[in-house]
Amino acid sequence: MTVPACLVAPMLGGGRKVLTFRANSADLTTASVYTFSAVAIGAAQADRRVIVAVHISANDTIASVTVGGVTATSVVQVAVGAANLRMAIFIAAVPTGTTADVVVNMTVGATRCRIGAWTVLGLVSDTAVDSDTSVAD
């Protein structure tokens, strides 16, 4: 599983970057807050950032995501047609720990939530300089 380069590449800067898939998880209950406990985030490192992809079954906004208590920055959010689905990518600098609780907060709620977690080393910023979204297959 990979993160599209167009989402991460603008933040890279010079030097070697390491992007590693770490975990995925799903909660199929109805809630407005989902907590995914002890998500693997790899070895602690000073320049480590955790990227979380979130998919919810709801026509709602993902209000916030925290990773190990660190508030993540929203990179992109997109509603997927009339299917009441929303997908988003968040990023947070989390230099310590090997696991972290990932908490997803919605404005109203969803009938299910899924996450994927990656770590990336060597980014110069959490802010994308460009982004684009498409709901096409």
Side-chain angles (χ1 to χ4, degrees):
M1 186 174 261
T2 61
V3 173
C6 62
L7 295 174
V8 177
M11 301 179 276
L12 293 178
R16 184 170 186 268
K17 311 304 178 263
V18 180
L19 178 66
T20 306
F21 175 75
R22 297 295 179 181
N24 64 18
S25 189
D27 185 333
L28 306 180
T29 62
T30 298
S32 59
V33 177
Y34 291 91
T35 300
F36 299 92
S37 299
V39 174
I41 59 171
Q45 190 156 332
D47 66 342
R48 178 181 65 191
R49 287 179 170 83
V50 178
I51 297 170
V52 178
V54 180
H55 174 257
I56 61 170
S57 294
N59 189 12
D60 193 7
T61 300
I62 300 165
S64 67
V65 172
T66 60
V67 181
V70 177
T71 300
T73 301
S74 177
V75 176
V76 65
Q77 278 199 53
V78 62
V80 182
N84 286 332
L85 302 174
R86 180 166 291 271
M87 296 174 7
I89 295 176
F90 286 79
I91 187 169
V94 186
T96 61
T98 58
T99 64
D101 290 352
V102 175
V103 181
V104 179
N105 293 284
M106 257 86 42
T107 305
V108 177
T111 58
R112 65 189 61 131
C113 180
R114 300 174 191 272
I115 64 161
W118 291 259
T119 56
V120 63
L121 305 176
L123 292 184
V124 295
S125 172
D126 290 345
T127 305
V129 295
D130 193 11
S131 67
D132 192 11
T133 59
S134 173
V135 294
D137 289 337

